[in-house]
Amino acid sequence: MAEKYTPQQIEPKWQARWDADKLYRATIDPSRPKHYALTMLPYPSGNLHIGHWYAMSPSDARARWMRMRGYNVLFPMGFDAFGLPAENAAIQRNIHPKTWTYANIEKMRTQMKTMGTMFDWDREAISSDPKYYKWTQWFFLKFYENGLAYKQMATVDFCPHCNTTLAREQVWGDDRHCERCGTPVIKKDLEQWFFRTTKYAEELQDHSQINWPERVKTMQKNWVGQSEGAHVTFKTEQGDDLTIFTTRPDTLWGATFMVLAPEHPLVEKLTSDVQRTAVAAYIDSASRQTEIERTDTNKEKTGVFTGGYAINPVNNARVPVWVADYVLMGYGMGAIMAVPAHDERDFAFARKFDLPVRVVIQPEGEVLDGDTLTEAYHGDGKMVNSGAFDGTHTDESVAKVTAWLDEQGMGHYAVNYRLRDWLISRQRYWGAPIPIVYCANCGAVPVPYDQLPVVLPDDVQFMPTGESPLKFHAGFLNTTCPTCGGPAKRETDTMDTFMCSSWYHLRYLSPDYDEAPFDPQEGAYWLPVDQYTGGIEHATMHLMYTRFFTKALRDCGIWKDTEALRQPDQPSVANEPMLALFNQGMILGEAREGDIVIASGTVEADRLNAASIRIVTDVVETTGANEVSGEITKRTENLLNINTPQREMTVEVYDTTKIMDVNGNAITLADLRYHLDAEKMSKSKGNVVAPDQVVAKYGADTVRGYLMFAFRWESGGPWDSQGIQGIVRWLNDVWTLVTGDKPAMSGEADEAAVKALRRKVHQTIQKVTDGLDSFGFNTAVAGLMELKNTLLAARKTPVVNTPAYAEAISSMLLMMAPFTPFIAEELWERTGHPYSIHTQQWPVYDPEIAKADEITLVVQVNGKVRDRITVPADISEADAKALALSSESIQRYFNGEPPSKVFYVPTRGMVNIVV
RNA sequence: GGGGCUGUGGCGGAACGGUAUACGCAGGUGACUUAAAAUCAUCGGCUGAAAAGCGUGUGGGUUCGAUUCCCACCAGCCCCACCA
């Protein structure tokens, strides 16, 4: 009886050995090309979920493959360990965030080892370690020193539940909710710390030095949101400059009023005594509105006249100045010229408040009239009512007017960005403290470098409100001023955790280094990251911040040492952190099908509370006299009327939904099934796949194999508990192939069969190599399965006794090593090879061996396949054409006429005859 | 409203402009079994008895040849959004 494949025994054994041998330790080796493979580090939430497996095991496979190809591969891992959940756990369960976080890290590190990843744990970095956040604080000080960090009173997004401010990137969705907890955010005026990301707006939208997915590049470009136009300065009647930004300076003559954001500094001065009460009331109501209400695009325009006027510099027109919340303080200058004839928002506002509409662009062959216009016109045309510019066409109007404005000193060309500075202050405990001290005499004073880190105190009292306990910790709060030595208070805000994760790829280089955030020697060898992988959700957050960080570091002079040590043929480390990026998709919950249990007209769906399901009604049968007819007309809490039998209809089914006939009598239905679409995994939906359980059942190799085979990596898809059987069978077959008793086979192996086997091996090498290269893990695994199928067949022939067969087995094991590292190592040993398979060379593809002797010549007539002929692979063009033309099944398409043209495609073994 | 992505069997998915549906799941049939599971063999795009025809969301185009390239449309998903 042959031994069975038992991953539960094999996997822990090898895991322990790899660990003990430090098989995955990566150190500087100038003799080999380096490859820095990086996968986004997890937040230590407590357990690895299937999404982590999906993100990490294919990245791991690729890193392993790069190593087998001769690269010196750095593949590190760590934890983004600061953040709110730890603090919430502390409040809810009375566990210190540190205790909670480090226990979780311990657990997750073990789980990652179970997964068979080749992470180099000697390089682990944990962002909540003082030896890590010392340098996060150090970077803050460098930014402060270089004018890239500043503190300012600002209207900011604030989550009332988390009791902290949020960056713009952390406010999500139509209802503008907190990224963490889902609570709608409110606006608050607070003094907050910012990083000057806007300084890098132009650079951040340039991706020319990196190979990143188009999708991410587009999202980042849109996020930076560049628009070209002009700044134009109006004068208020009190003589103040009132500058606006416009993308359409050519419509300046059509400005019939101006609008300021409620927060605009000139509002106060412009407001007349008569209007003062009304303006104050409006501003008050605007500030009390939620962000959702205020930014609702469908909302009717609101606003109020200030009573003040400004002078349009281009024609000295006196235009009224209004205040309205459709103008946002955060974009442009917080003030606009309103051109109702050519802007739909201004148009709506003008019509509502009965303001004049003045047409200044006339389209070809049509005459627009401001009084009768029903919507703003933003098409092409010629300028009118615009003084000397009348007759200028849209093609050149903007450029001409801009140049003229500049000449006249009224305005100038301007580029405006949507990007905002990065708000990094958080009013929470579990984060890196901002290293600033406030002194009554000296103001805000940076903590000297030699006093870093500013350590987070452990002995704190957590508030049920989430308010930062640092504000009440006397020992932390009270300090002395580094400048004058007088009494001073510490900043109690901590830094956004995105700050910690903006530079973690640098800390991996030398996690214990104490002279700088990273060792320049290591940096010069390993940087930049060659291949980064992670989810798309970070496109405008982490992936933006880390690019900003790299560029800011350059301007603070931090790359100098590294750049000096760098090999000249290596790309610069100072501009972009990650040269290539790949985004994996997401694993969804399993789509479920099942019977709905019918009892006395009551539908009970298995384990459903209130889920949207599809009832397939073509299998519905009624019993008795009742007819099911009509449509679904009504659904109350527990009642569903089915009228028209449709093939499929989506209804909501509660655990006791009643199916009634048209007369309201309960009916009995047979064979009613439900279908649940795949959805995001969540505890409340009960569709979460726990990797630990699946691994215990099938082994890590099977789970890895399944995740790589089942979907395109970039797409992801629903978990399929049935589908994993395919991988179970694959690995069992491989196991049998190597460990099973060879069937007794006498006689000489057929030479052609041996050749065919070797051909298959080399075709597989090409397929698997290409797959790994292009992140096509699914097709790579498919190739390995095909080779396995070929070997199973060869095993039943005398080929099994040839050296070619043994060689095929070892090639297959080598190719499996990146995907299923445990079984590959085990079978490598059992076939008498030296430890370890993971330090072997990747098999080399030989096109000569992969070439076929015979091919199938495909014969098409007018592009349709009409015949297939087996021919020698090296057939000449003339022979192939002649053979094709002489084929009987082809000649019947000729209808007596000779073919007009014959195409031969040698690379495809194909002839196309045109008749 | 703006931008982007995706549409191929019952399902996940293959296919440098050249044999559409590789590989796998589910399913059918048969073998083994008292039986089931597992395993093995075998069959599955659709219509058709067959011959043959039709097939990659829909409609056009380019081409000897289009799932692949171009245009328009439809559907679904994602990002941004009173952005001046």
Side-chain angles (χ1 to χ4, degrees):
Chain A
M1 185 61 185
E3 195 187 333
K4 272 181 69 184
Y5 168 48
T6 45
Q8 292 78 2
Q9 281 171 21
I10 295 165
E11 294 184 354
K13 180 182 78 183
W14 288 114
Q15 188 197 304
R17 178 143 179 212
W18 296 334
D19 228 9
D21 294 349
K22 292 204 181 287
L23 189 65
Y24 303 124
R25 183 81 183 103
T27 52
I28 294 177
D29 175 2
S31 70
R32 282 188 293 162
K34 67 95 182 179
H35 180 78
Y36 189 170
L38 182 67
T39 196
M40 288 180 190
L41 84 178
Y43 176 79
S45 55
N47 259 308
L48 239 43
H49 54 74
I50 202 74
H52 289 123
W53 277 74
Y54 191 60
M56 290 174 187
S57 43
S59 313
D60 177 67
R62 205 162 182 282
R64 287 175 176 278
W65 169 69
M66 287 300 283
R67 203 163 85 136
M68 291 176 82
R69 285 173 84 206
Y71 286 91
N72 187 18
V73 175
L74 174 61
F75 189 49
M77 186 42 71
F79 295 91
D80 183 19
F82 273 136
L84 270 179
E87 216 170 324
N88 292 341
I91 295 161
Q92 283 155 23
R93 281 177 275 162
N94 202 28
I95 311 168
H96 196 281
K98 195 186 234 176
T99 317
W100 186 84
T101 302
Y102 283 80
N104 288 349
I105 287 175
E106 197 60 39
K107 188 165 178 193
M108 289 170 80
R109 195 191 293 123
T110 308
Q111 288 173 318
M112 283 189 239
K113 287 182 180 177
T114 308
M115 198 192 290
T117 48
M118 57 168 272
F119 296 129
D120 176 0
W121 289 104
D122 287 351
R123 291 182 182 271
E124 182 188 44
I126 299 171
S127 65
S128 58
D129 284 351
K131 68 173 182 183
Y132 186 105
Y133 70 72
K134 170 182 177 178
W135 300 105
T136 309
Q137 293 172 340
W138 186 88
F139 283 123
F140 176 93
L141 292 179
K142 285 285 171 191
F143 288 179
Y144 185 71
E145 230 172 72
N146 286 274
L148 294 172
Y150 65 94
K151 195 176 196 189
Q152 196 173 62
M153 181 63 89
T155 307
V156 295
D157 293 311
F158 187 87
C159 172
H161 181 256
C162 298
N163 235 311
T164 186
T165 50
L166 299 169
R168 191 170 70 111
E169 292 80 355
Q170 290 167 321
V171 180
W172 288 7
D174 289 342
D175 61 343
R176 301 196 37 89
H177 63 261
C178 166
E179 166 231 3
R180 275 272 172 225
C181 72
T183 310
V185 301
I186 56 170
K187 286 285 184 197
K188 257 198 173 178
D189 286 326
L190 287 169
E191 257 217 314
Q192 299 282 286
W193 285 97
F194 290 87
F195 283 162
R196 224 174 275 286
T197 39
T198 51
K199 188 182 166 193
Y200 298 88
E202 195 177 346
E203 240 189 293
L204 286 171
Q205 59 174 359
D206 173 15
H207 300 88
S208 58
Q209 294 178 57
I210 46 180
N211 176 21
W212 281 22
E214 281 306 318
R215 188 153 56 128
V216 175
K217 293 196 278 188
T218 309
M219 279 167 76
Q220 293 201 341
K221 273 197 187 88
N222 292 343
W223 192 258
V224 173
Q226 185 187 80
S227 48
E228 287 180 85
H231 280 147
V232 183
T233 303
F234 287 56
K235 278 254 191 268
T236 67
E237 286 194 322
Q238 292 96 333
D240 291 307
D241 280 353
L242 176 51
T243 304
I244 57 106
F245 173 76
T246 177
T247 53
R248 292 293 303 273
D250 56 332
T251 62
L252 261 163
W253 287 264
T256 53
F257 58 101
M258 297 184 83
V259 186
L260 306 186
E263 301 85 358
H264 196 281
L266 276 179
V267 170
E268 172 72 25
K269 201 168 171 189
L270 268 164
T271 303
S272 67
D273 291 341
V274 182
Q275 290 297 95
R276 198 160 300 277
T277 323
V279 170
Y282 182 77
I283 291 173
D284 186 49
S285 88
S287 69
R288 269 188 291 114
Q289 273 181 61
T290 63
E291 191 71 355
I292 319 156
E293 289 162 348
R294 187 163 162 184
T295 57
D296 180 3
T297 37
N298 297 320
K299 191 186 81 168
E300 184 138 331
K301 294 275 178 291
T302 60
V304 64
F305 179 42
T306 60
Y309 289 85
I311 303 300
N312 186 341
V314 301
N315 56 5
N316 291 320
R318 182 170 179 261
V319 292
V321 182
W322 286 62
V323 175
D325 63 5
Y326 81 92
V327 175
L328 310 171
M329 196 58 218
Y331 184 79
M333 308 302 287
I336 61 158
M337 64 161 183
V339 184
H342 306 290
D343 180 285
E344 54 218 282
R345 292 151 307 179
D346 299 344
F347 183 82
F349 195 84
R351 283 289 183 253
K352 172 150 184 196
F353 294 104
D354 210 12
L355 292 157
V357 177
R358 181 177 154 97
V359 173
V360 288
I361 305 285
Q362 279 295 0
E364 211 70 36
E366 208 182 330
V367 180
L368 302 178
D369 176 4
D371 295 337
T372 56
L373 211 58
T374 54
E375 58 177 1
Y377 175 75
H378 24 69
D380 284 2
K382 283 186 172 153
M383 290 174 70
V384 295
N385 299 323
S386 303
F389 285 94
D390 281 0
T392 311
H393 191 263
T394 314
D395 292 343
E396 46 177 15
S397 59
V398 172
K400 280 196 165 173
V401 172
T402 307
W404 178 78
L405 286 170
D406 208 359
E407 252 168 54
Q408 302 294 314
M410 296 170 186
H412 54 86
Y413 171 82
V415 177
N416 193 57
Y417 296 97
R418 214 176 60 98
L419 187 71
R420 300 267 64 84
D421 277 343
W422 174 13
L423 166 59
I424 59 139
S425 293
R426 295 293 179 274
Q427 292 70 47
R428 297 301 299 232
Y429 163 76
W430 193 235
I434 294 176
I436 292 284
V437 157
Y438 298 103
C439 166
N441 297 321
C442 314
V445 181
V447 174
Y449 288 102
D450 60 11
Q451 287 176 30
L452 295 183
V454 175
V455 180
L456 211 51
D458 284 343
D459 55 332
V460 288
Q461 211 48 48
F462 293 99
M463 311 285 150
T465 56
E467 200 168 355
S468 173
L470 292 177
K471 289 182 187 167
F472 308 99
H473 190 284
F476 177 82
L477 203 56
N478 297 313
T479 183
T480 50
C481 171
T483 309
C484 71
K489 299 253 185 241
R490 281 194 193 280
E491 169 68 64
T492 55
D493 280 359
T494 53
M495 288 184 247
D496 181 2
T497 57
F498 277 116
M499 168 101 185
C500 312
S501 57
S502 290
W503 71 281
Y504 74 105
H505 58 290
L506 306 178
R507 194 61 189 166
Y508 285 150
L509 301 173
S510 48
D512 297 313
Y513 195 65
D514 203 29
E515 284 154 52
F518 60 94
D519 182 344
Q521 297 280 355
E522 297 274 344
Y525 179 73
W526 294 109
L527 294 175
V529 171
D530 295 282
Q531 181 64 57
Y532 198 28
T533 62
I536 185 78
E537 66 275 12
H538 290 293
T540 55
M541 297 197 287
H542 164 64
L543 291 172
M544 204 74 168
Y545 296 137
T546 191
R547 292 183 65 220
F548 155 75
F549 223 83
T550 305
K551 294 166 194 298
L553 256 47
R554 175 197 62 206
D555 294 348
C556 295
I558 292 166
W559 293 121
K560 267 192 208 129
D561 295 349
T562 314
E563 282 285 271
L565 290 164
R566 163 172 74 88
Q567 291 298 310
D569 59 332
Q570 288 292 310
S572 166
V573 302
N575 293 317
E576 293 286 354
M578 294 106 186
L579 299 179
L581 172 71
F582 195 94
N583 298 115
Q584 82 276 352
M586 203 195 325
I587 297 292
L588 304 175
E590 186 156 20
R592 282 184 300 208
E593 310 253 357
D595 293 322
I596 292 173
V597 181
I598 313 286
S600 318
T602 303
V603 179
E604 288 170 14
D606 178 37
R607 291 199 298 151
L608 288 176
N609 278 322
S612 173
I613 70 156
R614 192 163 35 151
I615 292 185
V616 182
T617 50
D618 59 354
V619 291
V620 169
E621 284 173 20
T622 60
T623 57
N626 296 318
E627 185 72 52
V628 179
S629 63
E631 293 191 297
I632 296 177
T633 52
K634 186 172 146 190
R635 201 215 84 230
T636 61
E637 194 65 8
N638 287 322
L639 180 73
L640 166 77
N641 290 324
I642 293 185
N643 290 317
T644 310
Q646 295 172 344
R647 289 187 66 84
E648 292 178 346
M649 44 183 138
T650 300
V651 295
E652 295 223 325
V653 167
Y654 292 77
D655 47 4
T656 52
T657 299
K658 285 188 178 125
I659 297 201
M660 319 289 285
D661 66 12
V662 281
N663 300 317
N665 300 315
I667 52 168
T668 308
L669 306 171
D671 298 331
L672 196 60
R673 293 180 58 77
Y674 71 86
H675 170 87
L676 260 179
D677 277 336
E679 291 176 289
K680 245 179 163 170
M681 285 189 193
S682 76
K683 275 183 195 157
S684 63
K685 285 181 195 133
N687 60 352
V688 175
V689 173
D692 285 359
Q693 287 171 24
V694 189
V695 171
K697 189 170 173 189
Y698 299 108
D701 279 340
T702 300
V703 179
R704 289 171 63 109
Y706 172 66
L707 290 173
M708 287 188 253
F709 175 68
F711 330 91
R712 242 181 273 167
W713 198 35
E714 64 271 34
S715 320
W719 178 264
D720 178 1
S721 51
Q722 200 71 248
I724 199 168
Q725 281 305 326
I727 304 295
V728 172
R729 288 179 191 133
W730 171 42
L731 295 183
N732 273 321
D733 283 350
V734 170
W735 184 264
T736 307
L737 218 41
V738 177
T739 69
D741 301 326
K742 275 190 192 173
M745 207 54 68
S746 58
E748 275 299 296
D750 179 28
E751 204 180 307
V754 170
K755 215 172 166 187
L757 177 63
R758 298 189 70 207
R759 187 186 311 138
K760 186 70 190 174
V761 169
H762 281 262
Q763 285 168 347
T764 306
I765 294 172
Q766 189 185 28
K767 187 168 183 180
V768 177
T769 306
D770 286 355
L772 281 165
D773 190 39
S774 61
F775 300 89
F777 301 100
N778 55 342
T779 51
V781 174
L784 289 167
M785 286 175 170
E786 273 186 65
L787 179 59
K788 178 266 302 180
N789 290 341
T790 304
L791 283 165
L792 276 179
R795 196 162 174 261
K796 293 173 188 160
T797 71
V799 174
V800 73
N801 297 319
T802 63
Y805 182 86
E807 200 189 302
I809 295 279
S810 30
S811 296
M812 182 181 71
L813 293 177
L814 286 168
M815 286 190 275
M816 285 175 70
F819 301 91
T820 54
F822 296 106
I823 191 175
E825 185 80 284
E826 176 73 18
L827 295 178
W828 186 251
E829 183 184 63
R830 287 179 185 233
T831 45
H833 291 96
Y835 176 82
S836 156
I837 192 169
H838 301 296
T839 54
Q840 304 301 312
Q841 281 291 312
W842 186 250
V844 178
Y845 166 67
D846 184 341
E848 274 309 307
I849 301 175
K851 216 162 77 183
D853 294 338
E854 287 188 326
I855 55 161
T856 305
L857 184 72
V858 175
V859 187
Q860 297 182 339
V861 177
N862 294 336
K864 289 205 167 145
V865 178
R866 297 302 182 187
D867 200 9
R868 294 183 172 90
I869 312 166
T870 303
V871 298
D874 56 358
I875 191 168
S876 69
E877 173 162 357
D879 287 354
K881 283 182 176 175
L883 212 55
L885 288 168
S886 63
S887 156
E888 265 180 56
S889 44
I890 292 302
Q891 288 187 331
R892 37 197 280 265
Y893 291 96
F894 292 179
N895 293 327
E897 306 214 355
S900 59
K901 225 167 184 183
V902 182
F903 289 88
Y904 176 58
V905 187
T907 50
R908 290 281 158 184
M910 197 210 65
V911 173
N912 189 19
I913 300 163
V914 186
V915 294

